[in-house]
Amino acid sequence: MNGTRFDSIEQAISYIERHRLAQPSLAEIADGVGLSPHHLQRLFTAWAGVSPKQFLRHLTLDHARALLGRDSSVLDAAYEVGLSGPGRLHDLMVTLEAATPGEFGAGGRGLDIRFGFLDSLFGRALAGLTDRGICWLAFHGAGEERAALDALAAHWPEAALREDAAGVRKAVGPALARGGAVPGRPLRLWAQGSNFQIKVWDALLRIPPGRLVTYGGLARTVGRAGAARAVGGAAARNPIALLIPCHRVIRASGRFAEGYRWGSARKRAMIAWEASASARGREAA
């Protein structure tokens, strides 16, 4: 899916955010983003696999609260089953390795990072790849390529950056087109962060697609009950969007936290798209 198509989805979700109290109709949403109702219907159905009405249901506060209520213990269950070996709650297709303290402190000195700009289900993204795994994935808007590359360089200030669009597309593209890891093609992530941040990011990988947890629940899981704000800060510094699913954490009220690093409309799009995909999977089972 190209970035231009997701731009229309993002505009529609932003329109819904601004007018949520009025509960706009499909025709009103379409008019607000400059599309015909038929075009918007076709766009959502091609992208999410469901109608706009079904998709928009996943954006409501009631639906978010229902997900939190049904799955409030999903992380506890994952840890009770065990985090290592084949006995995990679900077969993890994404593994996370942390940079060593020395590598962290060196800022990537001696490291070769290949980068490439890619289209995805959720818009344009810049990915960074090392021999040890994906080290960066960040979304950006049209015309923001320079700023996106500067952010990667700031995160790894001493690394050598080399453009390799074809290589990065081969390694990361299938996951971006699918919205996550592809069966039979495990993804290796290599992240730079503090011990606490790595612990939070690793816990995020235990949240199944289509599920939501609260910041407080995540804090309890990593042994920091009462430190929801600190956990939120660690999630906000996640350097690998989507694949480390910080978008699956929301407030206990069911409201989506503002200030999501890659835009609140994109966070809503990710949550609703995954919820739609999970619903389709249950219906097909």
Side-chain angles (χ1 to χ4, degrees), residues 198-225:
I198 294 294
K199 192 171 186 178
V200 170
W201 300 340
D202 192 59
L204 290 171
L205 292 173
R206 273 71 191 169
I207 309 173
R211 309 288 183 91
L212 298 176
V213 300
T214 66
Y215 290 99
L218 188 61
R220 290 191 298 273
T221 299
V222 299
R224 292 285 297 275

Side-chain angles (χ1 to χ4, degrees), residues 19 118 191:
H19 300 88
L118 305 166

Side-chain angles (χ1 to χ4, degrees), residues 139-180:
F139 294 99
H140 60 84
E144 296 177 348
E145 288 79 7
R146 183 69 255 175
L149 192 56
D150 287 346
L152 169 58
H155 191 72
W156 295 98
E158 301 299 324
L161 303 184
R162 175 170 60 87
E163 186 166 14
D164 178 15
V168 171
R169 187 179 301 111
K170 181 178 179 182
V172 187
L176 291 185
R178 188 178 184 272

Side-chain angles (χ1 to χ4, degrees), residues 5-282:
R5 192 181 303 174
F6 178 75
D7 288 346
S8 296
I9 298 288
E10 186 176 24
Q11 289 171 24
I13 293 174
S14 295
Y15 182 91
I16 294 164
E17 284 183 315
R18 295 193 304 271
H19 300 88
R20 62 183 178 274
L21 296 181
Q23 292 292 297
S25 65
L26 175 63
E28 289 170 329
I29 298 168
D31 184 64
V33 298
L35 298 174
S36 70
H38 174 73
H39 188 179
L40 186 61
Q41 173 94 8
R42 188 173 60 185
L43 187 69
F44 265 95
T45 303
W47 179 68
V50 296
S51 70
K53 184 176 181 180
Q54 291 170 308
F55 181 81
L56 299 179
R57 190 179 302 130
H58 295 303
L59 293 174
T60 65
L61 181 61
D62 286 345
H63 182 74
R65 285 171 173 165
L67 285 176
L68 287 175
R70 189 176 71 215
D71 298 315
S72 60
S73 63
V74 64
L75 287 175
D76 292 336
Y79 275 74
E80 286 171 8
V81 170
L83 293 180
S84 60
R88 296 182 178 186
L89 182 64
H90 54 286
D91 186 19
L92 293 177
M93 295 295 296
V94 183
T95 57
L96 174 65
E97 179 187 353
T100 66
E103 292 165 333
F104 189 170
R109 187 177 303 117
L111 180 67
D112 179 52
I113 298 178
R114 293 173 286 141
F115 71 87
F117 293 94
L118 305 166
D119 285 323
S120 80
L121 278 168
F122 305 105
R124 290 285 287 174
L126 171 64
L129 184 66
T130 74
D131 290 340
R132 295 170 67 177
I134 300 165
C135 67
W136 184 262
L137 182 62
F139 294 99
H140 60 84
E144 296 177 348
E145 288 79 7
R146 183 69 255 175
L149 192 56
D150 287 346
L152 169 58
H155 191 72
W156 295 98
E158 301 299 324
L161 303 184
R162 175 170 60 87
E163 186 166 14
D164 178 15
V168 171
R169 187 179 301 111
K170 181 178 179 182
V172 187
L176 291 185
R178 188 178 184 272
V182 178
R185 297 185 62 171
L187 291 174
R188 291 186 302 137
L189 311 181
W190 188 59
Q192 173 182 236
S194 68
N195 288 339
F196 178 66
Q197 288 170 340
I198 294 294
K199 192 171 186 178
V200 170
W201 300 340
D202 192 59
L204 290 171
L205 292 173
R206 273 71 191 169
I207 309 173
R211 309 288 183 91
L212 298 176
V213 300
T214 66
Y215 290 99
L218 188 61
R220 290 191 298 273
T221 299
V222 299
R224 292 285 297 275
R229 186 179 296 273
V231 163
R237 291 176 177 82
N238 168 25
I240 306 175
L242 184 63
L243 303 180
I244 296 178
C246 55
H247 59 278
R248 296 176 191 157
V249 190
I250 65 172
R251 294 174 178 169
S253 65
R255 295 191 181 280
F256 301 102
E258 299 299 326
Y260 179 62
R261 184 172 178 178
W262 295 286
S264 62
R266 181 173 277 110
K267 177 170 181 170
R268 288 175 180 268
M270 290 176 176
I271 290 172
W273 187 91
E274 290 182 346
S276 298
S278 293
R280 293 198 309 274
R282 289 193 297 271

